[in-house]
Amino acid sequence: MLERLWAPWRSRYVSEIHATVSEEGEGTLFERILASEASDEETGILWRGETCFAVLNAYPYGSGHLMVAPNRAVADLADLTDAESDELWAAVRAAVAAIQEAYDPEGVNVGLNLGAAGGAGVPDHLHVHCLPRWRGDTNFMTTVAEARVLPEPLAESWSKLRNAWEAR
């Protein structure tokens, strides 16, 4: 069994994300991203609305993986205001359209994990994952090597998605 897959280029990729948004400080990860003084390109923010925003996933399942979240920390769908809920789902629709425009995928996954037991990595701030999919895009690398192979850097994903979002 293969235990390690060396990908030294990933260290720069991961360190840039950590340098942009402090691990310390008040609020959830998403609140810290919103409060960051870094540019949207540096934080991966693709769109800002009145009550919600869209951001690239810093540890994507594949290129083009983004998340839509409310601006405030809300752990459960029932805790969203009507305005937040309306904007969240409208933004998810816009995210899927941007993904389709930028990547022309064969399909799109849309989902959220509520609570730690539900698989949420940030259980105190719900977020909807949106990612492009193609037949055969899951392969032995994830299954056997427990690694993902991403064909483009985050900066390129951000540019493609931001341009597609703005062109809508």
Side-chain angles (χ1 to χ4, degrees), residues 99-115:
I99 287 169
Q100 290 170 328
E101 175 67 27
Y103 289 94
D104 194 27
E106 295 175 313
V108 177
N109 282 144
V110 174
L112 47 94
N113 304 318
L114 296 175

Side-chain angles (χ1 to χ4, degrees), residues 49-155:
E50 292 294 318
T51 64
C52 298
F53 73 108
V55 63
L56 280 179
N57 189 327
Y59 305 99
Y61 296 133
S63 295
H65 182 176
L66 64 89
M67 300 171 291
V68 178
N71 293 345
R72 71 182 180 100
V74 176
D76 193 78
L77 287 169
D79 296 329
L80 291 170
T81 66
D82 288 343
E84 287 169 331
S85 180
D86 290 348
E87 189 171 55
L88 179 79
W89 297 114
V92 168
R93 288 177 46 209
V96 170
I99 287 169
Q100 290 170 328
E101 175 67 27
Y103 289 94
D104 194 27
E106 295 175 313
V108 177
N109 282 144
V110 174
L112 47 94
N113 304 318
L114 296 175
V122 184
D124 51 349
H125 199 141
L126 73 81
H127 47 285
V128 182
H129 292 265
C130 304
L131 58 143
R133 299 301 302 267
W134 294 267
R135 282 184 219 127
D137 68 1
T138 55
N139 60 37
F140 77 96
M141 291 301 288
T142 300
T143 307
V144 177
E146 296 183 15
R148 300 206 196 303
V149 177
L150 303 171
E152 68 185 13
L154 278 181

Side-chain angles (χ1 to χ4, degrees), residues 31-47:
E31 289 173 313
R32 291 192 313 270
I33 289 170
L34 281 172
S36 172
E37 294 182 13
S39 70
D40 285 354
E41 185 173 7
E42 291 174 297
T43 59
I45 293 176
L46 298 160
W47 167 83

